């Protein structure tokens, strides 16, 4: 199974600033994803990070607010721009690992963000 | 459109009781995957099981078992002889090879 790490694990930020979250996978993967999990809620997909092309954003999420980079098959970053308290969430990176039986989506440990 | 419903928001059981977490899904795809994930209080998402839409065999793994019924679009999860360490939020999820959609989650509390 793919092992995914994220940095930072948590941060407290001031309103109006930006934070870049890094995601590293221990193997090459085609598809990486960024999710947001607001307190007490389920996971909401922000975007699919495509290697070599722009990320594909879900409804309600825009590139100006959540720019994503995917420079290679093992790494991606998500930036939360011009933060407000409403952005306080856990941000999770995930990747799809394929084996003979099919595919499974594994998750990083998450980045807990608190915006003051 | 795809959708995953977990009707049980919160469940409390006493240790050693059996508990079943319900999951109902909607999809127009004929080929898809279903998953269960566990999210303990520490926050990490732990993969529990994957089921291909063509494989309706039920599965047992230790105290965990899963009942997949395509006819009712359900993929229920049973924990036998629950333990305090089972306390967590459990998410059912659906994937159509493109992205994974999560249900709202069921918070399970196992009381000693």
């Amino acid at each position: 199974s793919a092992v995914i790490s994220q940095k930072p694990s948590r941060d407290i930020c001031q309103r109006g600033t930006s934070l870049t979250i890094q995601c590293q996978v221990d193997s090459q993967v085609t598809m990486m994803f960024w999710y947001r999990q607001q307190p007490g809620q389920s996971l909401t997909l922000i975007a699919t990070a495509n290697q070599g092309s722009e990320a594909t954003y879900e409804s309600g999420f825009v590139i100006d607010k959540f720019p994503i980079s995917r420079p290679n098959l093992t790494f991606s970053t998500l930036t939360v721009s011009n933060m407000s308290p409403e952005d306080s969430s856990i941000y999770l990176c995930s990747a799809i690992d394929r084996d003979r039986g099919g595919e499974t989506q594994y998750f990083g440990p998450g980045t807990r963000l608190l915006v003051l | 459109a795809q959708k995953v419903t977990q009707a049980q928001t919160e469940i409390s059981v006493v240790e050693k009781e059996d508990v079943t977490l319900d999951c109902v899904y909607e999809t127009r795809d004929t080929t898809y995957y279903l998953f269960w994930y566990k999210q303990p209080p520490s926050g990490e998402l732990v993969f529990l099981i994957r089921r291909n839409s063509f494989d309706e065999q039920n599965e047992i793994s230790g105290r965990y078992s899963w009942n997949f019924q395509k006819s009712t679009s359900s993929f229920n999860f049973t924990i036998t002889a629950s333990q305090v360490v089972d306390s967590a939020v459990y998410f059912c999820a659906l994937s159509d090879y493109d992205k994974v959609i999560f249900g709202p989650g069921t918070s399970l509390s196992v009381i000693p």
Side-chain angles (χ1 to χ4, degrees):
Chain A
S1 62
V3 177
I4 303 173
S5 60
Q6 284 183 236
K7 286 195 298 188
S9 59
R10 58 180 65 227
D11 208 341
I12 300 174
C13 300
Q14 295 298 319
R15 182 196 299 260
T17 63
S18 298
L19 176 72
T20 296
I21 303 168
Q22 299 180 7
C23 176
Q24 181 75 52
V25 187
D26 69 342
S27 58
Q28 293 187 340
V29 292
T30 304
M31 301 178 79
M32 293 179 72
F33 305 86
W34 287 97
Y35 285 82
R36 180 174 74 182
Q37 186 178 24
Q38 295 179 304
Q41 303 293 315
S42 184
L43 282 76
T44 301
L45 180 63
I46 298 172
T48 303
N50 306 306
Q51 197 269 333
S53 64
E54 279 197 0
T56 304
Y57 289 83
E58 297 299 306
S59 175
F61 297 97
V62 295
I63 187 171
D64 290 345
K65 175 67 176 177
F66 297 102
I68 288 171
S69 78
R70 180 83 197 273
N72 57 51
L73 292 174
T74 64
F75 187 78
S76 178
T77 68
L78 169 76
T79 299
V80 186
S81 303
N82 189 23
M83 289 183 284
S84 66
E86 292 72 34
D87 294 320
S88 298
S89 284
I90 299 174
Y91 291 86
L92 296 115
C93 169
S94 75
I96 286 182
D97 191 18
R98 290 193 168 90
D99 56 34
R100 285 185 188 176
E103 61 177 46
T104 300
Q105 193 167 23
Y106 294 96
F107 287 82
T111 296
R112 294 176 184 268
L113 172 61
L114 176 63
V115 183
L116 303 177
Chain B
Q2 294 182 319
K3 185 178 179 182
V4 178
T5 302
Q6 295 177 255
Q8 304 147 308
T9 305
E10 295 182 4
I11 300 177
S12 287
V13 298
V14 177
E15 202 171 18
K16 297 185 182 176
E17 286 184 349
D18 299 347
V19 58
T20 295
L21 310 182
D22 297 332
C23 174
V24 175
Y25 63 92
E26 296 176 26
T27 181
R28 294 181 197 166
D29 296 317
T30 56
T31 302
Y32 50 88
Y33 290 112
L34 294 164
F35 304 88
W36 276 95
Y37 289 88
K38 174 182 180 181
Q39 188 174 43
S42 54
E44 78 272 22
L45 270 169
V46 179
F47 164 74
L48 295 177
I49 189 170
R50 174 189 68 208
R51 175 61 71 221
N52 184 305
S53 56
F54 294 114
D55 180 5
E56 289 194 66
Q57 263 193 330
N58 292 328
E59 182 158 339
I60 298 175
S61 176
R63 296 185 295 107
Y64 296 169
S65 63
W66 291 269
N67 183 355
F68 176 31
Q69 293 197 345
K70 214 168 178 178
S71 60
T72 56
S73 297
S74 66
F75 186 42
N76 297 335
F77 173 29
T78 297
I79 301 175
T80 304
S82 59
Q83 300 175 3
V84 173
V85 293
D86 296 327
S87 296
V89 179
Y90 291 86
F91 292 100
C92 180
L94 168 68
S95 168
D96 65 351
Y97 293 95
D98 186 18
K99 58 190 177 187
V100 178
I101 303 298
F102 282 78
T106 297
S107 177
L108 173 65
S109 296
V110 181
I111 304 166

